[in-house]
Amino acid sequence: MKFMKLGSKPDALQSDGKSIRYISSELATDIIITVGEVKFHLHKFPLLSKSNSLQKLLSKANEENADEIQLDDFPGGPKAFEICAKFCYGMTVTLNAYNVVAARCAAEYLEMTEDIDRGNLIFKIEVFLTSSIFRSWKDSIIVLQTTKSLLPWAEDLKIVGRCIDSIASKTSVDPANITWSYTYNRKLSELDKIVEDKITPQEKIEPVPKDWWVEDICELDIDLYKRVMITVKSKGRMDGVVIGEALKIYAVRWLPDSVDALVSDAHAWRNKSLVETIVCLLPCDNGMGCSCSFLLKLLKVAILVEADESSRGQLMKSIGLKFHEASVKDLLIPARFPQNTKYDVDLVQDLLNLYMTNIKGSRDVVVEEKKDRANDESILGQRSLLNVGKLVDGYLGEIAHDPNLSLSSFVALSQSIPEFARPNHDGLYRAIDVYLKEHPSLTKSERKNICGLMDVKKLTVEASMHAAQNERLPLRVVVQVLYFEQVRAASNARALGNSPHNSTNTHVNGDEECAKSGGESCQSLDNQMCHMKIRDEQLQKNGKLNKKSSKNSRSGMQLLPSRSRRIFDKLWIVGKGQGENRSSETSGSSNSPTSVVPGDTKSSGSSLRHRRHSIS
């Protein structure tokens, strides 16, 4: 910390209790100056030689035959006046970052200018500020903090503005050129490290990160912090990601963790102001410099503290641009009255709609203006939509536990993404299964409606096995699952038959692919069907899949519950006659089993007839 010593005489200012200060000398004091609750017994001559203001006040006191002067609203209080008084007497005074602003404001109040005496206090303090304080990173921050209690004096004297400009300028310095110590206890400068840790200069020094400054300015009050950040952004040399990190660190530093503390009467207004300020400071790239997780947490707090509509709207707009980066946990935002659900599903629906609108708009631009790069842009868009598909299914699985969640909300959220964003329906099946379990009072029509969201052709083997034994699913869905699994088994058997030398590798790769695609969303199914996997592995080792596929299918059927087994038997009878009369399969079903494998009806039928003959 920088400091400056003024004067050379020993300190002769003594105390008599808490409210009296006097000069210890042979010459009796002849004036009393009251500052706040403290009375200073001083001599007129030293004061008159340095202060124009005291000259006027003493002249007025003499006219009124008074020997006491009252200094009202004195900036810095008794401590600041004591510094000025000692300077008048030539006593030793030490100025530093903690008291220099108070001394400067007090000197301005007393008009201790060059017109009264050359080398007066105002001049010396200005030299100290310019040559030392504003050149020091830490001292500039300390000085800026002390100005809060000295307004409007510090503002009028341009001390606040000069501090802010000094801090903002240093944040823009190339990190490779930073030699000063920063982030009080986190880092030391290169020279400090050499001295304190006794390392050799040849030893590798850890490079200074781009966000080296964000923690230090977190100690500033929100109003000063806002002004610093606005100045940093106005210089145009700071990356939006670093600004986003600075806002995140500040929010973590000052926003309480608990909901009760956020909405408490004592701090509700402060938290509301803090959130609104952080939102207005978001990077100019619509929040792209901030992580989606941070933006969602900020939105959650903004809702709790009832931030203004514009702040919430800006947050939602920013989240809508990077919704694909969110996590299910971040989306679990508590619902507010009058909603009766546990989580705010409508809010997530709005965010998803914003994202889909942005995706559609960006695609239109690609088609119209960037046709030569349309394929690359399309691939990136599809990747983000695949992430959104997984996110929506995971979120549906969480909110499905809520007994107050309406079927219409569940269906609407599920249908908000395009079909290709959900290549695998295991996650959706899990969410539907949870919803059916938590809402047993659904009518037959409602169960049919929610199950209609799912395409059984896009279920993995494990999920299909689970669905075939699921008593909560409508009978029609179970039939479709069983039929498609048999068609898939027949197709795999034909593929194995055409490649006898690669049958083992093909089977292994197929199992690995199914396990990979279904592992994330149907882990619970793996445990329930592990005995099926063991059986398949044993058959693979024996190499009997190609010759005894029909017997294996029959053996696997025995593991199904009685209802599914009866359906399974009837399905074989239908399969036997499908080559002769296909229309009988499609009666009463718009999503007929024959539509599962278009173009392969004939071969599939012959395979099923062969299977039926072998079973009998």
Side-chain angles (χ1 to χ4, degrees):
M1 180 184 294
K2 305 293 183 180
F3 65 91
M4 180 175 71
K5 285 189 175 182
L6 301 175
S8 57
K9 296 180 180 179
D11 188 355
L13 189 63
Q14 305 295 320
S15 300
D16 185 7
K18 294 182 179 180
S19 59
I20 296 178
R21 302 285 189 274
Y22 64 94
I23 295 294
S24 177
S25 68
E26 297 179 355
L27 185 63
T29 59
D30 52 6
I31 186 67
I32 300 175
I33 299 177
T34 303
V35 181
E37 297 179 352
V38 179
K39 294 182 181 295
F40 290 86
H41 296 259
L42 306 172
H43 302 90
K44 293 179 181 179
F45 178 74
L47 301 178
L48 296 176
S49 65
K50 300 288 187 182
S51 172
N52 187 36
S53 177
L54 289 178
Q55 285 183 10
K56 298 174 185 177
L57 292 173
L58 285 172
S59 176
K60 184 179 179 179
N62 291 333
E63 293 177 358
E64 298 175 354
N65 295 323
D67 58 356
E68 184 172 346
I69 297 174
Q70 179 76 34
L71 300 182
D72 299 322
D73 301 324
F74 192 85
K79 290 185 178 180
F81 181 80
E82 183 175 321
I83 292 175
C84 295
K86 288 182 178 180
F87 177 80
C88 293
Y89 280 90
M91 300 176 188
T92 302
V93 177
T94 301
L95 296 178
N96 54 46
Y98 289 100
N99 63 13
V100 66
V101 179
R104 176 64 182 87
C105 296
E108 187 71 21
Y109 184 100
L110 296 174
E111 300 178 15
M112 302 175 72
T113 63
E114 292 296 285
D115 296 337
I116 302 300
D117 185 48
R118 187 176 180 181
N120 213 342
L121 185 56
I122 290 179
F123 173 78
K124 292 185 179 296
I125 291 178
E126 285 295 331
V127 170
F128 178 55
L129 289 172
T130 305
S131 63
S132 298
I133 294 297
F134 296 145
R135 292 188 178 185
S136 169
W137 166 253
K138 289 184 178 180
D139 289 344
S140 296
I141 295 176
I142 294 171
V143 166
L144 186 57
Q145 286 177 298
T146 62
T147 60
K148 182 181 177 181
S149 60
L150 294 164
L151 298 176
W153 286 90
E155 195 73 66
D156 295 338
L157 295 173
K158 311 298 182 183
I159 297 177
V160 176
R162 286 185 288 171
C163 277
I164 290 174
D165 189 66
S166 171
I167 294 169
S169 297
K170 289 180 176 59
T171 62
S172 302
V173 173
D174 185 350
N177 297 327
I178 293 176
T179 57
W180 57 81
S181 178
Y182 60 93
T183 312
Y184 296 97
N185 295 318
R186 188 182 70 173
K187 295 275 185 186
L188 293 174
S189 69
E190 181 175 337
L191 294 177
D192 290 339
K193 270 192 170 184
I194 294 173
V195 173
E196 297 196 11
D197 299 338
K198 296 182 180 179
I199 64 176
T200 60
Q202 291 78 15
E203 188 172 344
K204 184 178 179 181
I205 303 298
E206 185 178 353
V208 176
K210 290 183 179 180
D211 63 344
W212 61 268
W213 52 273
V214 300
E215 292 183 18
D216 283 346
I217 65 172
C218 280
E219 298 304 316
L220 295 174
D221 182 74
I222 185 61
D223 295 331
L224 294 174
Y225 181 84
K226 178 181 179 180
R227 293 179 61 178
V228 169
M229 292 301 297
I230 289 175
T231 306
V232 169
K233 293 173 65 177
S234 68
K235 292 184 178 297
R237 289 176 285 182
M238 189 58 62
D239 188 87
V241 175
V242 179
I243 292 178
E245 180 66 16
L247 296 175
K248 177 182 176 181
I249 296 296
Y250 193 84
V252 172
R253 170 67 177 82
W254 291 106
L255 285 175
D257 296 328
S258 66
V259 175
D260 293 338
L262 275 171
V263 300
S264 65
D265 295 336
H267 302 99
W269 183 87
R270 172 186 170 277
N271 294 332
K272 179 176 180 291
S273 175
L274 196 151
V275 170
E276 292 173 354
T277 300
I278 292 177
V279 172
C280 81
L281 291 173
L282 289 176
C284 299
D285 53 2
N286 290 321
M288 296 303 289
C290 301
S291 67
C292 190
S293 176
F294 169 61
L295 292 175
L296 281 165
K297 291 176 182 177
L298 204 58
L299 178 60
K300 187 185 300 185
V301 175
I303 294 172
L304 289 172
V305 300
E306 299 180 350
D308 58 58
E309 195 67 29
S310 62
S311 296
R312 283 182 281 178
Q314 184 177 346
L315 277 173
M316 292 184 65
K317 181 181 178 181
S318 299
I319 295 169
L321 293 171
K322 52 197 320 178
F323 187 76
H324 58 284
E325 298 179 5
S327 67
V328 174
K329 183 180 179 181
D330 295 330
L331 294 179
L332 299 178
I333 301 175
R336 302 284 287 175
F337 182 82
Q339 296 176 340
N340 61 349
T341 55
K342 183 177 180 181
Y343 299 113
D344 197 336
V345 181
D346 293 338
L347 178 64
V348 174
Q349 179 73 69
D350 293 340
L351 293 173
L352 182 56
N353 292 341
L354 283 172
Y355 175 78
M356 296 308 301
T357 301
N358 292 330
I359 286 291
K360 184 178 183 302
S362 63
R363 285 186 172 183
D364 292 341
V365 171
V366 168
V367 172
E368 295 177 5
E369 301 180 5
K370 300 181 181 180
K371 291 183 179 180
D372 55 331
R373 298 177 58 191
N375 291 333
D376 295 338
E377 297 289 342
S378 177
I379 291 173
L380 293 175
Q382 287 181 3
R383 288 179 180 176
S384 64
L385 279 170
L386 290 176
N387 291 337
V388 171
K390 294 179 181 179
L391 177 65
V392 170
D393 288 347
Y395 182 73
L396 288 171
E398 291 294 331
I399 65 175
H401 293 278
D402 188 355
N404 294 325
L405 178 65
S406 66
L407 179 62
S408 60
S409 296
F410 186 98
V411 172
L413 188 59
S414 173
Q415 295 177 335
S416 298
I417 57 176
E419 292 185 6
F420 72 85
R422 192 183 276 128
N424 182 296
H425 277 215
D426 285 14
L428 180 60
Y429 166 64
R430 175 183 174 274
I432 292 173
D433 185 40
V434 172
Y435 191 89
L436 293 175
K437 181 179 179 181
E438 298 294 335
H439 301 77
S441 61
L442 291 177
T443 64
K444 184 177 180 180
S445 175
E446 290 173 333
R447 291 168 62 221
K448 179 181 178 181
N449 185 18
I450 192 172
C451 290
L453 300 171
M454 176 178 58
D455 186 353
V456 297
K457 297 188 295 296
K458 294 184 178 180
L459 294 178
T460 61
V461 175
E462 290 82 359
S464 296
M465 291 296 185
H466 187 278
Q469 303 177 73
N470 195 338
E471 298 288 344
R472 289 184 286 271
L473 295 179
L475 191 61
R476 179 180 177 183
V477 176
V478 176
V479 170
Q480 292 175 350
V481 172
L482 290 172
Y483 179 83
F484 179 72
E485 277 306 301
Q486 294 311 307
V487 172
R488 181 156 59 182
S491 178
N492 290 338
R494 287 197 304 274
L496 291 171
N498 294 333
S499 304
H501 297 289
N502 299 325
S503 60
T504 302
N505 293 334
T506 304
H507 183 72
V508 171
N509 293 336
D511 282 350
E512 289 178 352
E513 183 178 354
C514 291
K516 183 178 180 181
S517 60
E520 295 181 357
S521 51
C522 284
Q523 293 180 358
S524 62
L525 307 184
D526 294 339
N527 296 330
Q528 300 182 33
M529 300 306 299
C530 63
H531 58 285
M532 293 292 293
K533 291 183 180 180
I534 295 172
R535 174 184 159 277
D536 287 342
E537 292 176 358
Q538 291 175 346
L539 290 175
Q540 173 189 333
K541 292 179 180 179
N542 295 332
K544 298 179 181 180
L545 267 177
N546 193 27
K547 297 181 180 180
K548 298 182 180 181
S549 59
S550 60
K551 291 183 180 181
N552 293 342
S553 301
R554 181 62 180 171
S555 175
M557 183 190 69
Q558 299 298 330
L559 298 175
L560 301 176
S562 58
R563 183 182 78 151
S564 300
R565 192 161 58 246
R566 289 195 299 271
I567 298 171
F568 195 89
D569 291 337
K570 292 180 181 179
L571 192 60
W572 282 119
I573 297 173
V574 173
K576 182 177 181 180
Q578 79 176 36
E580 301 172 359
N581 186 8
R582 301 178 193 176
S583 62
S584 63
E585 295 177 356
T586 61
S587 60
S589 175
S590 60
N591 189 12
S592 63
T594 58
S595 65
V596 174
V597 186
D600 288 346
T601 307
K602 184 176 180 179
S603 61
S604 177
S606 62
S607 175
L608 291 176
R609 285 196 298 272
H610 175 72
R611 286 170 174 264
R612 176 60 181 152
H613 177 75
S614 65
I615 291 175
S616 60

